[in-house]
Amino acid sequence: MATGARWGMTIPFYDRSLADSRDLIAELPGLGYTDAWSAEVNGVDGFVPLAMAAEWAPGVRLGSAIVPVSTRGPGLLAMSAATLADLAPGRFVLGIGASSPAIVERWNAGEFVKPFARTRDTLRFLKKALAGEKVTEKYETFEIKGFKLERAPKVSPKIVLAALRPRMLRLAAEEADGAITNWLSPQDVPKVRAEIGSDTELIARLFVCVSTDTEKVRELGRWMLASYLTVPVYAAFHDWLGRGEVLRPMHEAWAAGDRQAALKAIPDEVVDDLIVHGDAATCRARIQQYVDNGLDTPVLAPIPGGEVPIAQAVRDLAPNRE
């Protein structure tokens, strides 16, 4: 592992509940993991795993990647962030982002309107609220009247933004403390890095399958990629990265309702680019390529399907592994 690099893990783990993750989360510091990052889609929420990890894994930096800005009110987001910042002073990072229409509208009965502006406005509100200020302000996408945290955190958490394309990446660099991205290859990192400069932390979740059964991994990977890359924000991201033409057959088949044809249309090289796989040593070397190309914080997400159980994969992928 590169000297001084961070090395994160996604919690809880895909093969177990949060309650059953305690012992493995407690192992993370000893294995050399510097970070534990939650996710929030349709499983666990983004905050409770971090609250538990604050006790189970002392010293590890805790981050949300990401909490949507349109599924909670701004004040509730500030309260949740302040609670985590109090539990883990100086080691909690609040990751927020626009999310997607499916999560915001179809699953949470919210409105996915002006995602860039809503993210920007929430960031600006949170910076003031978490600093202990009383906020009365009319933003482009919402208005706050007299909100003040009852107990502001002694150490205000850093705030990082989910960012896939230049406009949001530049916002992350100019007004936040870092950018979180997803579903990219090591070769894509320099293009993303160029938008935020050298001084902004770049974080990415990397999906990892410790397995030498390449065809099995590719079959699994195609399902994962089809479910993500057909989402408009990810489709636009990969257009920007230069995969528009190679992914066009997948998009056309998906739009026509032919899921099997869409899966078959994803080339092997795209799966191999975007999912880390192989034996543990190969996976660690691949993750290191991301770091060498400009990624500050890889956040590993070991996925089931390989011959190595998740718990063993967490241990075998650790930076302290000889």
Side-chain angles (χ1 to χ4, degrees), residues 5 17 40 62 71 79 94 121 132 139 166 172-173 202 204 206 247 251 270 274 285 289 294 299 316 321:
S17 68
E40 186 171 278
L62 308 168
T71 56
M79 288 187 286
L94 175 62
D121 294 348
Y139 299 91
L202 181 60
L206 308 179
L247 291 175
H251 288 298
V270 171
L274 302 180
Q289 289 179 12
V299 179
D316 289 348
R321 180 78 175 180

Side-chain angles (χ1 to χ4, degrees), residues 161-164 179-184 192 202-205 237 295:
L161 300 185
L164 298 178
I180 304 171
T181 191
N182 197 6
W183 290 116
L184 77 171
V192 176
L202 181 60
I203 304 152
R205 177 166 280 115
F237 179 45
L295 182 64

Side-chain angles (χ1 to χ4, degrees), residues 92-305:
F92 169 58
V93 179
L94 175 62
I96 59 172
S99 191
S100 70
I103 292 173
V104 174
E105 296 183 338
R106 298 209 296 267
W107 299 352
N108 286 284
E111 293 185 344
F112 191 76
V113 178
K114 296 183 177 180
F116 174 83
R118 178 70 184 228
T119 303
R120 179 202 60 209
D121 294 348
T122 303
L123 168 65
R124 291 174 178 175
F125 162 76
L126 287 169
K127 288 169 71 173
K128 290 185 175 182
L130 291 168
E133 297 182 30
K134 184 175 182 177
V135 183
T136 296
E137 191 162 344
K138 187 171 184 178
Y139 299 91
E140 181 181 344
T141 56
F142 56 81
E143 184 174 3
I144 301 295
K145 298 179 180 179
F147 178 85
K148 189 176 190 299
L149 283 168
E150 183 178 284
R151 183 176 289 107
K154 293 180 180 178
V155 180
S156 186
K158 290 184 177 181
I159 305 175
V160 296
L161 300 185
L164 298 178
R165 286 182 291 160
R167 194 179 182 203
M168 195 73 85
L169 286 164
R170 288 194 291 268
L171 177 65
E174 292 166 5
E175 298 192 34
D177 299 297
I180 304 171
T181 191
N182 197 6
W183 290 116
L184 77 171
S185 73
Q187 291 70 37
D188 296 326
V189 173
K191 183 164 187 173
V192 176
R193 169 60 70 189
E195 297 295 332
I196 61 174
S198 59
D199 296 331
T200 300
E201 182 177 7
L202 181 60
I203 304 152
R205 177 166 280 115
L206 308 179
F207 293 94
V208 184
C209 189
V210 181
S211 173
T212 56
D213 188 340
T214 302
E215 291 311 309
K216 184 177 180 181
V217 173
R218 286 173 176 166
E219 181 181 2
L220 170 66
R222 284 187 171 87
W223 278 105
M224 295 180 66
L225 291 173
S227 66
Y228 269 92
L229 302 191
T230 52
V231 175
V233 291
Y234 281 103
F237 179 45
H238 282 273
D239 281 347
W240 177 63
L241 290 175
R243 293 192 181 88
E245 286 305 312
V246 75
L247 291 175
R248 186 181 300 278
M250 177 200 72
H251 288 298
E252 291 175 347
W254 191 270
D258 192 338
R259 300 296 188 253
Q260 290 301 319
L263 294 173
K264 291 178 182 177
I266 302 173
D268 289 346
E269 57 266 27
V270 171
V271 182
D272 295 343
D273 275 351
L274 302 180
I275 293 181
V276 177
H277 63 94
D279 60 28
T282 299
C283 290
R284 288 199 308 275
R286 178 73 167 173
I287 295 161
Q288 186 62 49
Q289 289 179 12
Y290 284 88
V291 175
D292 293 342
N293 284 357
L295 182 64
D296 296 302
T297 306
V299 179
L300 315 189
I303 55 178

Side-chain angles (χ1 to χ4, degrees), residues 46-68:
F47 291 111
V48 174
L50 304 180
M52 303 311 297
E55 287 292 313
W56 296 344
V60 168
R61 187 173 70 158
L62 308 168
S64 58
I66 51 91
V67 174

